[in-house]
Short mmCIF file of all heavy atoms in Angstrom, two decimals:
data_model
loop_
_atom_site.label_atom_id
_atom_site.label_comp_id
_atom_site.label_asym_id
_atom_site.label_seq_id
_atom_site.Cartn_x
_atom_site.Cartn_y
_atom_site.Cartn_z
N LYS A 1 70.54 -87.68 138.79
CA LYS A 1 71.62 -87.51 139.78
C LYS A 1 71.95 -88.84 140.46
O LYS A 1 73.12 -89.22 140.60
CB LYS A 1 71.23 -86.47 140.81
CG LYS A 1 72.29 -86.16 141.86
CD LYS A 1 71.82 -85.01 142.76
CE LYS A 1 72.87 -84.61 143.78
NZ LYS A 1 72.98 -85.49 144.91
N ASP A 2 70.91 -89.58 140.90
CA ASP A 2 71.13 -90.89 141.53
C ASP A 2 71.88 -91.82 140.58
O ASP A 2 72.81 -92.51 140.99
CB ASP A 2 69.79 -91.55 141.89
CG ASP A 2 69.02 -90.82 142.98
OD1 ASP A 2 69.65 -90.23 143.88
OD2 ASP A 2 67.77 -90.84 142.91
N ALA A 3 71.42 -91.86 139.33
CA ALA A 3 72.04 -92.75 138.34
C ALA A 3 73.51 -92.40 138.12
O ALA A 3 74.37 -93.28 138.10
CB ALA A 3 71.26 -92.70 137.02
N GLU A 4 73.78 -91.11 138.01
CA GLU A 4 75.17 -90.68 137.81
C GLU A 4 76.04 -91.07 139.01
O GLU A 4 77.14 -91.58 138.83
CB GLU A 4 75.24 -89.17 137.58
CG GLU A 4 74.75 -88.75 136.20
CD GLU A 4 74.65 -87.22 136.04
OE1 GLU A 4 74.95 -86.47 137.01
OE2 GLU A 4 74.25 -86.79 134.95
N GLU A 5 75.53 -90.85 140.21
CA GLU A 5 76.30 -91.19 141.41
C GLU A 5 76.57 -92.69 141.54
O GLU A 5 77.59 -93.10 142.07
CB GLU A 5 75.57 -90.68 142.67
CG GLU A 5 75.61 -89.18 142.81
CD GLU A 5 74.82 -88.67 144.00
OE1 GLU A 5 74.18 -89.49 144.71
OE2 GLU A 5 74.82 -87.45 144.22
N MET A 6 75.64 -93.50 141.02
CA MET A 6 75.79 -94.95 141.11
C MET A 6 76.44 -95.54 139.85
O MET A 6 76.65 -96.75 139.77
CB MET A 6 74.42 -95.60 141.37
CG MET A 6 73.82 -95.17 142.70
SD MET A 6 72.16 -95.82 142.94
CE MET A 6 72.52 -97.45 143.57
N GLY A 7 76.70 -94.67 138.85
CA GLY A 7 77.29 -95.15 137.60
C GLY A 7 76.34 -95.98 136.77
O GLY A 7 76.75 -96.90 136.07
N LEU A 8 75.05 -95.64 136.82
CA LEU A 8 74.01 -96.39 136.10
C LEU A 8 73.46 -95.57 134.95
O LEU A 8 73.48 -94.36 134.96
CB LEU A 8 72.87 -96.75 137.06
CG LEU A 8 73.24 -97.57 138.30
CD1 LEU A 8 72.05 -97.71 139.23
CD2 LEU A 8 73.80 -98.92 137.90
N THR A 9 72.92 -96.28 133.94
CA THR A 9 72.28 -95.61 132.81
C THR A 9 70.89 -96.18 132.59
O THR A 9 70.60 -97.33 132.98
CB THR A 9 73.10 -95.81 131.52
OG1 THR A 9 73.26 -97.22 131.27
CG2 THR A 9 74.48 -95.15 131.62
N ASN A 10 70.03 -95.39 131.98
CA ASN A 10 68.66 -95.82 131.70
C ASN A 10 68.65 -97.06 130.83
O ASN A 10 69.35 -97.13 129.81
CB ASN A 10 67.88 -94.69 131.01
CG ASN A 10 66.41 -95.01 130.87
OD1 ASN A 10 65.75 -95.32 131.86
ND2 ASN A 10 65.90 -94.94 129.66
N GLY A 11 67.91 -98.06 131.24
CA GLY A 11 67.80 -99.31 130.47
C GLY A 11 68.87 -100.33 130.82
O GLY A 11 68.79 -101.49 130.36
N GLU A 12 69.86 -99.95 131.59
CA GLU A 12 70.92 -100.89 132.00
C GLU A 12 70.34 -102.01 132.86
O GLU A 12 69.39 -101.81 133.61
CB GLU A 12 71.98 -100.13 132.80
CG GLU A 12 73.18 -100.97 133.21
CD GLU A 12 74.27 -100.17 133.89
OE1 GLU A 12 74.09 -98.93 134.12
OE2 GLU A 12 75.29 -100.77 134.24
N ILE A 13 70.90 -103.20 132.71
CA ILE A 13 70.49 -104.35 133.50
C ILE A 13 71.56 -104.61 134.56
O ILE A 13 72.74 -104.74 134.24
CB ILE A 13 70.29 -105.60 132.62
CG1 ILE A 13 69.28 -105.33 131.50
CG2 ILE A 13 69.86 -106.79 133.48
CD1 ILE A 13 67.88 -104.99 131.95
N VAL A 14 71.13 -104.67 135.82
CA VAL A 14 72.05 -104.89 136.95
C VAL A 14 71.52 -106.03 137.80
O VAL A 14 70.44 -106.56 137.58
CB VAL A 14 72.21 -103.61 137.80
CG1 VAL A 14 72.80 -102.47 136.99
CG2 VAL A 14 70.89 -103.18 138.42
N SER A 15 72.29 -106.39 138.83
CA SER A 15 71.84 -107.31 139.87
C SER A 15 71.75 -106.53 141.17
O SER A 15 72.40 -105.51 141.34
CB SER A 15 72.83 -108.46 140.03
OG SER A 15 72.88 -109.24 138.84
N VAL A 16 70.93 -107.04 142.09
CA VAL A 16 70.81 -106.42 143.41
C VAL A 16 70.83 -107.51 144.46
O VAL A 16 70.01 -108.43 144.43
CB VAL A 16 69.51 -105.57 143.54
CG1 VAL A 16 69.40 -104.99 144.95
CG2 VAL A 16 69.50 -104.45 142.51
N GLU A 17 71.79 -107.41 145.38
CA GLU A 17 71.91 -108.37 146.47
C GLU A 17 71.02 -107.94 147.63
O GLU A 17 71.07 -106.78 148.06
CB GLU A 17 73.36 -108.46 146.95
CG GLU A 17 73.55 -109.47 148.06
CD GLU A 17 74.98 -109.54 148.55
OE1 GLU A 17 75.81 -108.70 148.15
OE2 GLU A 17 75.27 -110.45 149.34
N ILE A 18 70.21 -108.88 148.11
CA ILE A 18 69.31 -108.62 149.22
C ILE A 18 69.83 -109.36 150.45
O ILE A 18 69.77 -110.59 150.52
CB ILE A 18 67.87 -109.13 148.92
CG1 ILE A 18 67.37 -108.59 147.58
CG2 ILE A 18 66.93 -108.79 150.05
CD1 ILE A 18 67.21 -107.10 147.50
N PRO A 19 70.37 -108.64 151.42
CA PRO A 19 70.84 -109.30 152.63
C PRO A 19 69.66 -109.54 153.59
O PRO A 19 68.80 -108.66 153.74
CB PRO A 19 71.81 -108.29 153.24
CG PRO A 19 71.24 -106.97 152.82
CD PRO A 19 70.60 -107.19 151.48
N THR A 20 69.59 -110.72 154.16
CA THR A 20 68.56 -110.98 155.16
C THR A 20 69.20 -111.70 156.33
O THR A 20 70.29 -112.25 156.20
CB THR A 20 67.41 -111.84 154.59
OG1 THR A 20 67.95 -113.07 154.10
CG2 THR A 20 66.68 -111.13 153.46
N SER A 21 68.52 -111.68 157.44
CA SER A 21 69.06 -112.32 158.63
C SER A 21 68.42 -113.70 158.87
O SER A 21 68.61 -114.28 159.90
CB SER A 21 68.83 -111.42 159.85
OG SER A 21 67.44 -111.19 160.00
N ASN A 22 67.67 -114.17 157.88
CA ASN A 22 66.94 -115.43 158.08
C ASN A 22 67.49 -116.59 157.26
O ASN A 22 66.82 -117.60 157.08
CB ASN A 22 65.46 -115.22 157.76
CG ASN A 22 65.26 -114.83 156.31
OD1 ASN A 22 66.17 -114.90 155.50
ND2 ASN A 22 64.06 -114.42 155.98
N GLY A 23 68.70 -116.43 156.72
CA GLY A 23 69.28 -117.53 155.96
C GLY A 23 68.78 -117.66 154.55
O GLY A 23 68.99 -118.69 153.89
N ARG A 24 68.12 -116.61 154.01
CA ARG A 24 67.60 -116.68 152.65
C ARG A 24 68.16 -115.56 151.79
O ARG A 24 67.46 -115.01 150.94
CB ARG A 24 66.07 -116.62 152.66
CG ARG A 24 65.43 -117.78 153.40
CD ARG A 24 63.98 -117.87 153.12
NE ARG A 24 63.78 -118.65 151.91
CZ ARG A 24 62.61 -118.86 151.33
NH1 ARG A 24 61.53 -118.35 151.86
NH2 ARG A 24 62.52 -119.56 150.24
N ASN A 25 69.43 -115.21 152.02
CA ASN A 25 70.04 -114.16 151.19
C ASN A 25 69.83 -114.51 149.71
O ASN A 25 69.88 -115.68 149.34
CB ASN A 25 71.54 -114.05 151.49
CG ASN A 25 71.79 -113.47 152.85
OD1 ASN A 25 70.90 -113.34 153.66
ND2 ASN A 25 73.02 -113.08 153.09
N LEU A 26 69.64 -113.48 148.92
CA LEU A 26 69.33 -113.70 147.51
C LEU A 26 69.86 -112.54 146.69
O LEU A 26 69.78 -111.38 147.12
CB LEU A 26 67.81 -113.79 147.36
CG LEU A 26 67.21 -114.11 146.00
CD1 LEU A 26 67.67 -115.50 145.54
CD2 LEU A 26 65.71 -114.09 146.06
N THR A 27 70.38 -112.84 145.51
CA THR A 27 70.77 -111.78 144.57
C THR A 27 69.84 -111.85 143.37
O THR A 27 69.74 -112.90 142.72
CB THR A 27 72.24 -111.95 144.12
OG1 THR A 27 73.08 -111.84 145.26
CG2 THR A 27 72.61 -110.87 143.11
N PHE A 28 69.11 -110.76 143.13
CA PHE A 28 68.21 -110.68 141.98
C PHE A 28 69.00 -110.20 140.77
O PHE A 28 69.65 -109.17 140.82
CB PHE A 28 67.07 -109.70 142.25
CG PHE A 28 66.04 -110.19 143.22
CD1 PHE A 28 65.90 -109.60 144.46
CD2 PHE A 28 65.21 -111.25 142.90
CE1 PHE A 28 64.95 -110.02 145.37
CE2 PHE A 28 64.27 -111.72 143.80
CZ PHE A 28 64.14 -111.11 145.04
N GLY A 29 68.91 -110.96 139.68
CA GLY A 29 69.49 -110.53 138.41
C GLY A 29 68.40 -109.90 137.56
O GLY A 29 67.23 -109.83 137.96
N ASP A 30 68.78 -109.46 136.37
CA ASP A 30 67.82 -108.91 135.41
C ASP A 30 66.97 -107.77 135.96
O ASP A 30 65.77 -107.70 135.73
CB ASP A 30 66.90 -110.01 134.88
CG ASP A 30 67.66 -111.11 134.17
OD1 ASP A 30 68.60 -110.79 133.43
OD2 ASP A 30 67.34 -112.30 134.38
N VAL A 31 67.62 -106.88 136.72
CA VAL A 31 66.93 -105.71 137.27
C VAL A 31 67.17 -104.55 136.31
O VAL A 31 68.32 -104.17 136.05
CB VAL A 31 67.48 -105.34 138.68
CG1 VAL A 31 66.77 -104.11 139.23
CG2 VAL A 31 67.36 -106.53 139.63
N VAL A 32 66.09 -104.01 135.75
CA VAL A 32 66.25 -102.93 134.78
C VAL A 32 66.29 -101.57 135.51
O VAL A 32 65.54 -101.36 136.47
CB VAL A 32 65.13 -102.96 133.71
CG1 VAL A 32 63.76 -102.68 134.32
CG2 VAL A 32 65.40 -101.98 132.59
N VAL A 33 67.19 -100.72 135.07
CA VAL A 33 67.31 -99.36 135.64
C VAL A 33 66.46 -98.42 134.80
O VAL A 33 66.59 -98.36 133.59
CB VAL A 33 68.78 -98.90 135.65
CG1 VAL A 33 68.89 -97.47 136.18
CG2 VAL A 33 69.64 -99.85 136.47
N ARG A 34 65.60 -97.65 135.48
CA ARG A 34 64.75 -96.67 134.80
C ARG A 34 65.09 -95.30 135.37
O ARG A 34 64.94 -95.07 136.57
CB ARG A 34 63.28 -97.03 135.00
CG ARG A 34 62.95 -98.37 134.35
CD ARG A 34 61.62 -98.92 134.75
NE ARG A 34 60.54 -98.01 134.49
CZ ARG A 34 59.30 -98.20 134.91
NH1 ARG A 34 58.99 -99.27 135.58
NH2 ARG A 34 58.37 -97.31 134.66
N VAL A 35 65.56 -94.41 134.51
CA VAL A 35 66.04 -93.10 134.96
C VAL A 35 65.09 -92.01 134.50
O VAL A 35 64.76 -91.90 133.31
CB VAL A 35 67.46 -92.82 134.43
CG1 VAL A 35 67.95 -91.44 134.87
CG2 VAL A 35 68.43 -93.91 134.88
N SER A 36 64.65 -91.20 135.46
CA SER A 36 63.82 -90.01 135.16
C SER A 36 63.85 -89.10 136.37
O SER A 36 63.86 -89.57 137.51
CB SER A 36 62.36 -90.42 134.89
OG SER A 36 61.53 -89.29 134.86
N ASP A 37 63.87 -87.81 136.12
CA ASP A 37 63.87 -86.89 137.24
C ASP A 37 62.51 -86.78 137.92
O ASP A 37 62.36 -86.09 138.92
CB ASP A 37 64.38 -85.51 136.79
CG ASP A 37 65.89 -85.52 136.54
OD1 ASP A 37 66.59 -86.31 137.24
OD2 ASP A 37 66.36 -84.80 135.65
N SER A 38 61.52 -87.52 137.42
CA SER A 38 60.22 -87.58 138.10
C SER A 38 60.16 -88.76 139.07
O SER A 38 59.13 -89.00 139.69
CB SER A 38 59.09 -87.68 137.07
OG SER A 38 59.18 -88.89 136.36
N TYR A 39 61.25 -89.51 139.21
CA TYR A 39 61.29 -90.67 140.11
C TYR A 39 61.95 -90.32 141.44
O TYR A 39 62.62 -89.30 141.57
CB TYR A 39 62.11 -91.82 139.49
CG TYR A 39 61.51 -92.47 138.27
CD1 TYR A 39 62.34 -93.07 137.33
CD2 TYR A 39 60.15 -92.50 138.05
CE1 TYR A 39 61.82 -93.69 136.20
CE2 TYR A 39 59.62 -93.11 136.93
CZ TYR A 39 60.46 -93.71 136.00
OH TYR A 39 59.95 -94.32 134.90
N ALA A 40 61.81 -91.22 142.41
CA ALA A 40 62.59 -91.24 143.64
C ALA A 40 63.33 -92.57 143.66
O ALA A 40 62.81 -93.58 143.20
CB ALA A 40 61.67 -91.13 144.86
N LEU A 41 64.54 -92.58 144.19
CA LEU A 41 65.38 -93.77 144.17
C LEU A 41 64.76 -94.91 144.97
O LEU A 41 64.55 -94.78 146.18
CB LEU A 41 66.77 -93.45 144.71
CG LEU A 41 67.79 -94.61 144.70
CD1 LEU A 41 68.05 -95.08 143.28
CD2 LEU A 41 69.09 -94.19 145.38
N ALA A 42 64.45 -96.02 144.31
CA ALA A 42 63.89 -97.20 144.96
C ALA A 42 63.87 -98.34 143.95
O ALA A 42 63.73 -98.13 142.75
CB ALA A 42 62.47 -96.93 145.45
#
């Protein structure tokens, strides 16, 4: 359900932007999506 709502598929590679208030904002690339109904979104 989470994957469908976010438009993601199992094994897909995405990036994730991490906002911080300390001047070290960073975007992580090469983030693999793992989909299973035994998971919680994190």
